[in-house]
């Protein structure tokens, strides 16, 4: 088996390099279904699938093993949605144990990362999941975690009830999909294995890689130890650094300008455990500026990402942005409901007697009020649309005559979509700023969520939190802020914190 370890510093074309490897394999006659491209990260896999679709004639069906690790386990084990734990399952478990589990954070998220929570119930599940990811006993995980406000006896009880519940109802969480894959010991027959973002794999995920590569003739591991920012999830970056002795270092960044590179270089040299590597910035000078408040930065034009260490800090910024009429995106969601914008435009077109496609009419009927003072359509009238030609279009008059539309043309579009007064005020403020309601220029994100992303302009807050600042090993904190500063393609604005806990950039 031939193996190679590729170190890809920020913006150095790691994905480009990996897709080139795939294309070279296809060129030498390797069947596409014999090539596996895996990662813990959904973002990484989606980007790889987009690239291979754009650059070759292959469809996604042709590359069935371009998947996240937990998705690989899901499909290879023959699971279906009924096997997966849901919010309702965690509600039942909480009732049985006398605690509350948040359905959004009681399991791993779509990127296979154990979400951190301040909810006590969830923290017990995190310990159970992290013990499995690290392949250590629950006792060892409890002691290593060092949070003795959590009851050890109750942890054992939660673990026992959780296991029994999953067994009784044939349910699994994301960690189980990987654990079960490892235990059963078989894998798809592949010739080539590419492991992206490998610096963030837990020990259990590395065990899964060992099973996956059994039949592989050629294996590539790719990542950047300096951007390994998931230690709290049970990741030991040394597993990545020692995965292969045959290494290649990509040394030219196509993103990071010279001024930002200078800051990044100072941060990365604080890391004790790392692969020594030199890489070059772009020829752009770029800008690094320092501020005492993030709102001192002029964000009225251009594309911006505002990043902070924790979601708590990001939430404070979000409140300020909304109060000042800025449109933004967070967690992939636009701050102003896209459906409002879509259906307001549609109502305006209807009032101008423009025909609207049937599928859009059906969505409109599902969204607008069906009773009360702002009633738009009669209850049950959407059923009359089911008998029409799917390719048909309808006008305002046709909808009034035959399909239960009762709103007069004089009705305000805000009332048609039943928009709250708060949202009406927010929308008016956004429009006064001249923003495009469909395309927010501003993204809000934690540094962890922005990993793998980039933007022309970045605002990075130096504010941190007690656990991060007081951690005995500061390598992880250096990696987090190194990752943060290297998201900037042109301009980096660093906001120094007044708070008690901060990182010095």
């Amino acid at each position: 088996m031939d193996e190679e370890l590729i170190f890809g510093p920020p913006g150095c074309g790691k994905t480009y390099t990996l897709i080139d490897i795939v294309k070279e394999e296809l060129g030498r006659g390797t069947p596409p279904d014999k090539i596996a491209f895996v990662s813990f990260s959904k973002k990484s896999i989606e980007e790889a699938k987009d690239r291979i679709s754009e650059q070759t004639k292959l469809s996604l069906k042709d590359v069935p093993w371009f998947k996240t690790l937990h998705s690989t386990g899901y499909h290879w084990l023959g699971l279906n949605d009924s096997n997966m734990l849901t919010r309702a399952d965690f509600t039942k478990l909480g009732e049985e144990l006398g605690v509350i589990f948040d359905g959004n954070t009681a399991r791993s998220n779509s990127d296979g990362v154990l979400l951190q929570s301040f909810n006590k119930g969830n923290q017990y599940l995190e310990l159970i999941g992290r013990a499995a990811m690290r392949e250590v006993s629950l006792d060892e995980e409890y002691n290593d975690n060092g949070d003795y406000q959590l009851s050890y006896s109750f942890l054992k009880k939660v673990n026992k009830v959780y296991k029994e519940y999953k067994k009784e109802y044939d349910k699994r969480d994301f960690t189980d999909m990987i654990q079960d894959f490892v235990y059963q010991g078989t894998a798809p027959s592949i010739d080539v294995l590419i492991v992206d973002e490998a610096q963030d794999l837990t020990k259990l995920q590395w065990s899964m890689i060992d099973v996956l590569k059994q039949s592989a003739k050629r294996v590539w591991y790719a990542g950047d130890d300096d951007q390994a920012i998931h230690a709290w999830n049970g990741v030991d970056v040394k597993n990545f650094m020692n995965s292969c002795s045959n290494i290649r270092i990509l040394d030219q960044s196509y993103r990071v300008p010279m001024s930002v590179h200078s800051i990044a270089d100072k941060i990365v040299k604080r890391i004790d455990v790392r692969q020594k590597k030199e890489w070059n910035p772009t020829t752009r000078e770029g800008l690094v500026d320092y501020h005492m408040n993030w709102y001192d930065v002029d964000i009225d034009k251009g594309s911006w990402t505002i990043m902070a260490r924790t979601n708590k800090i990001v939430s404070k910024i979000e409140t300020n942005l909304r109060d000042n009429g800025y449109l933004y995106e967070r967690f992939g969601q636009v701050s102003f409901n896209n459906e409002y914008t879509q259906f307001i435009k549609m109502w305006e077109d209807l009032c101008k007697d423009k025909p609207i496609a049937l599928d859009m009419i059906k969505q409109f009927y599902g969204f607008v009020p069906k009773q009360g003072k702002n009633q738009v359509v009669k209850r049950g009238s959407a059923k009359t649309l089911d008998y029409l030609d799917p390719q048909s279009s309808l006008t305002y008059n046709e909808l009034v005559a035959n399909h239960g539309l009762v709103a007069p043309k004089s009705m305000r579009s805000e009332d048609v979509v039943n928009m709250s007064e708060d949202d009406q005020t927010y929308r008016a403020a956004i429009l006064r700023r001249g923003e495009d309601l469909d395309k927010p220029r501003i993204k809000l994100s934690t540094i962890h969520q922005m990993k793998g992303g980039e933007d022309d302009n970045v605002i990075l807050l130096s504010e941190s939190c007690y656990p991060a600042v007081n951690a005995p090993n500061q390598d992880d904190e250096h990696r987090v802020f190194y990752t943060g500063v290297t998201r900037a393609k042109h301009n980096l604005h660093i906001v120094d914190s007044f708070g008690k806990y901060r990182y010095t950039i």
Side-chain angles (χ1 to χ4, degrees):
M1 180 192 303
D2 294 328
E3 297 179 289
E4 185 177 41
L5 173 56
I6 300 174
F7 288 93
C12 284
K14 173 172 62 67
T15 302
Y16 180 92
T17 299
L18 297 181
I19 295 301
D20 266 1
I21 290 171
V22 174
K23 289 159 67 176
E24 288 169 7
E25 286 292 338
L26 294 170
R28 69 189 292 177
T30 305
D33 63 350
K34 293 287 188 178
I35 301 174
F37 191 116
V38 300
S39 172
F40 88 101
S41 164
K42 185 176 180 181
K43 182 187 293 185
S44 165
I45 296 302
E46 291 303 318
E47 184 176 3
K49 289 195 292 190
D50 287 345
R51 296 274 187 95
I52 204 67
S53 179
E54 290 171 0
Q55 297 182 30
T56 71
K57 295 180 180 180
L58 297 176
S59 70
L60 297 184
K61 291 182 180 180
D62 296 322
V63 285
W65 301 114
F66 275 51
K67 293 185 181 300
T68 60
L69 290 172
H70 59 265
S71 179
T72 300
Y74 178 92
H75 286 88
W76 184 248
L77 296 168
L79 302 176
N80 56 57
D81 288 348
S82 66
N83 299 124
M84 302 310 299
L85 286 161
T86 65
R87 182 187 295 269
D89 291 311
F90 286 108
T91 299
K92 289 180 185 177
L93 280 163
E95 290 170 352
E96 184 172 349
L97 288 162
V99 294
I100 296 174
F101 296 125
D102 181 338
N104 289 325
T105 56
R107 59 176 177 78
S108 303
N109 71 356
S110 61
D111 267 355
V113 175
L114 296 173
L115 294 165
Q116 291 177 302
S117 173
F118 293 105
N119 180 298
K120 283 291 182 185
N122 296 350
Q123 289 174 12
Y124 287 104
L125 292 180
E126 289 166 10
L127 285 174
I128 293 166
R130 197 155 48 242
M133 282 293 190
R134 293 178 59 207
E135 296 187 328
V136 300
S137 69
L138 200 55
D139 292 10
E140 184 176 343
E141 178 59 38
Y142 178 80
N143 288 323
D144 288 349
N145 185 61
D147 184 356
Y148 299 114
Q149 293 182 4
L150 298 175
S151 164
Y152 176 72
S153 61
F154 189 67
L155 172 64
K156 301 285 278 188
K157 180 179 179 180
V158 172
N159 186 44
K160 181 174 183 292
V161 171
Y162 191 44
K163 284 183 176 179
E164 290 174 348
Y165 184 94
K166 289 188 290 184
K167 183 177 181 180
E168 180 179 357
Y169 294 100
D170 193 23
K171 296 279 188 173
R172 293 168 178 80
D173 59 25
F174 281 98
T175 303
D176 292 327
M177 286 189 284
I178 297 175
Q179 206 165 36
D180 289 354
F181 183 96
V182 173
Y183 287 165
Q184 58 85 44
T186 66
S189 176
I190 57 173
D191 293 337
V192 173
L193 175 63
I194 297 171
V195 187
D196 196 12
E197 300 293 345
Q199 79 281 342
D200 287 323
L201 299 188
T202 64
K203 189 174 181 182
L204 177 63
Q205 289 167 332
W206 278 109
S207 294
M208 184 175 183
I209 297 302
D210 288 339
V211 176
L212 268 173
K213 71 180 185 182
Q214 290 175 121
S215 65
K217 299 179 179 68
R218 293 171 294 284
V219 180
W220 283 270
Y221 312 100
D224 182 10
D225 55 302
D226 295 330
Q227 297 180 74
I229 59 176
H230 292 292
W232 50 269
N233 191 40
V235 172
D236 183 348
V237 71
K238 292 190 291 294
N239 290 328
F240 166 70
M241 296 169 63
N242 299 328
S243 60
C244 175
S245 59
N246 177 30
I247 70 171
R248 185 196 331 179
I249 296 174
L250 308 180
D251 60 5
Q252 177 59 58
S253 178
Y254 302 95
R255 175 203 304 153
V256 181
M258 290 184 284
S259 57
V260 175
H261 177 270
S262 177
I263 297 295
D265 192 52
K266 292 176 183 177
I267 294 174
V268 83
K269 286 178 178 175
R270 302 174 190 173
I271 301 173
D272 290 329
V273 179
R274 65 183 295 263
Q275 166 69 41
K276 185 178 180 181
K277 62 185 83 68
E278 301 292 335
W279 56 278
N280 301 310
T282 68
T283 56
R284 299 188 303 273
E285 177 61 34
L287 169 74
V288 175
D289 205 356
Y290 290 82
H291 310 266
M292 295 308 294
N293 297 290
W294 71 267
Y295 44 79
D296 290 337
V297 185
D298 183 1
I299 59 173
D300 286 345
K301 292 181 180 179
S303 179
W304 291 84
T305 291
I306 305 175
M307 278 188 297
R309 181 66 175 80
T310 67
N311 270 310
K312 184 177 180 180
I313 303 169
V314 174
S315 293
K316 291 188 291 186
I317 300 169
E318 180 175 18
T319 299
N320 193 294
L321 283 176
R322 185 179 175 96
D323 288 346
N324 284 279
Y326 284 101
L327 184 71
Y328 58 89
E329 179 183 309
R330 185 181 182 190
F331 299 127
Q333 299 293 319
V334 180
S335 58
F336 185 77
N337 191 334
N338 281 331
E339 290 182 311
Y340 283 151
T341 304
Q342 176 184 0
F343 293 129
I344 284 174
K345 176 64 167 60
M346 181 180 159
W347 176 250
E348 291 171 349
D349 286 343
L350 278 174
C351 291
K352 296 173 184 176
D353 294 320
K354 293 183 179 180
I356 305 297
L358 179 61
D359 63 331
M360 288 296 299
I361 294 290
K362 287 183 176 181
Q363 293 177 43
F364 178 74
Y365 270 45
F367 186 79
V368 298
K370 298 163 185 69
Q371 61 186 16
K373 66 176 184 178
N374 289 336
Q375 183 184 22
V376 176
V377 298
K378 295 177 181 177
R379 183 176 294 278
S381 56
K383 293 180 181 178
T384 67
L385 302 171
D386 293 338
Y387 302 99
L388 301 178
D389 180 352
Q391 303 302 317
S392 62
S393 296
L394 298 167
T395 64
Y396 174 88
N397 289 336
E398 289 171 324
L399 292 171
V400 170
N402 303 310
H403 302 288
L405 180 63
V406 295
K409 288 184 177 181
S410 59
M411 190 171 182
R412 293 192 323 147
S413 56
E414 293 87 352
D415 293 332
V416 168
V417 297
N418 202 29
M419 192 187 303
S420 69
E421 288 188 13
D422 182 58
D423 279 334
Q424 289 183 44
T425 300
Y426 181 45
R427 178 174 182 264
I430 293 170
L431 293 174
R432 281 196 299 272
R433 287 192 173 276
E435 300 286 358
D436 184 342
L437 285 165
D438 293 321
K439 298 177 182 178
R441 300 179 297 103
I442 301 168
K443 291 190 292 290
L444 282 179
S445 177
T446 63
I447 298 171
H448 286 81
Q449 291 160 349
M450 191 60 184
K451 185 173 179 293
E454 61 184 22
D455 210 332
D456 290 342
N457 306 288
V458 168
I459 296 176
L460 178 63
L461 280 73
S462 67
E463 185 176 353
S464 189
C465 56
Y466 176 85
V469 170
N470 289 279
N473 182 356
Q474 284 295 295
D475 275 6
D476 297 330
E477 195 71 351
H478 300 322
R479 292 188 181 103
V480 168
F481 279 90
Y482 172 78
T483 300
V485 302
T486 54
R487 301 310 93 195
K489 293 171 65 177
H490 294 281
N491 304 311
L492 172 65
H493 297 268
I494 298 168
V495 178
D496 281 322
S497 171
F498 292 108
K500 184 176 180 181
Y501 307 111
R502 62 187 295 270
Y503 182 84
T504 302
I505 302 177

